[in-house]
Amino acid sequence: MEKISNIVSRYMAESLKMPKDLVYGDVLIQVSGRHEVYVENYKNIIEYTENSIRLQTKSGKLSISGKQLHIEYYTGEEMKITGYLSEFKYE
C-alpha cells in the first residue's frame, strides 16, 4: 500500500508542475560529451577508482565506468566527474 506522503508528494508535483527531482530527491545526471558528467542529489561515494565511481542515491546505486576518471569537485549535493566516460549503470 502506498504511503500517504508519497501520494501527497506526487499530487503536489503534478498540480504545481514542480520538477520531480525536487519533490522526490531523484538523482540528476547531466552528461557533456564523453568527458564530463555532473551528478546532483547523490547520498555518498561508495567506490572511487580510476576506472569506476559508484554512488549511493536515494533510489539505489549508480555506477560510472570509464578511464582516468577523476572527481573534479564535490559538495554534499553535487559533483563533477571528468575522464573518458564509457558506461552508466543503475544497480
Side-chain angles (χ1 to χ4, degrees), residues 3 8 14 16 20-21 25-26 29-30 33 42-43 45 48 57 59 61 64 68 71-72 74 85:
K3 290 183 179 180
V8 171
E14 291 171 4
L16 300 175
K20 290 186 175 142
D21 62 289
D26 287 342
I29 303 167
Q30 180 182 357
Y42 73 97
K43 286 189 165 192
I45 300 168
Y48 176 27
T57 70
S59 58
K61 294 178 178 72
I64 301 169
Q68 298 176 339
I71 297 176
E72 291 287 322
Y74 68 97
L85 307 168

Side-chain angles (χ1 to χ4, degrees):
M1 187 169 188
E2 189 173 8
K3 290 183 179 180
I4 291 177
S5 62
N6 290 345
I7 294 170
V8 171
S9 295
R10 187 171 4 119
Y11 175 76
M12 286 177 52
E14 291 171 4
S15 299
L16 300 175
K17 298 184 181 180
M18 295 173 64
K20 290 186 175 142
D21 62 289
L22 181 64
V23 176
Y24 298 121
D26 287 342
V27 67
L28 290 176
I29 303 167
Q30 180 182 357
V31 180
S32 298
R34 293 191 70 109
H35 299 284
E36 189 174 82
V37 62
Y38 294 89
V39 181
E40 294 182 41
N41 297 335
Y42 73 97
K43 286 189 165 192
N44 58 43
I45 300 168
I46 300 169
E47 176 184 20
Y48 176 27
T49 68
E50 187 176 87
N51 298 316
S52 176
I53 297 175
R54 293 179 65 219
L55 305 173
Q56 180 67 50
T57 70
K58 185 176 180 180
S59 58
K61 294 178 178 72
L62 171 65
S63 293
I64 301 169
S65 300
K67 295 179 183 173
Q68 298 176 339
L69 298 180
H70 178 71
I71 297 176
E72 291 287 322
Y73 75 86
Y74 68 97
T75 66
E77 297 178 3
E78 67 179 15
M79 71 171 55
K80 176 182 176 183
I81 299 169
T82 59
Y84 184 77
L85 307 168
S86 61
E87 181 179 38
F88 296 87
K89 180 180 175 185
Y90 285 102
E91 300 174 21

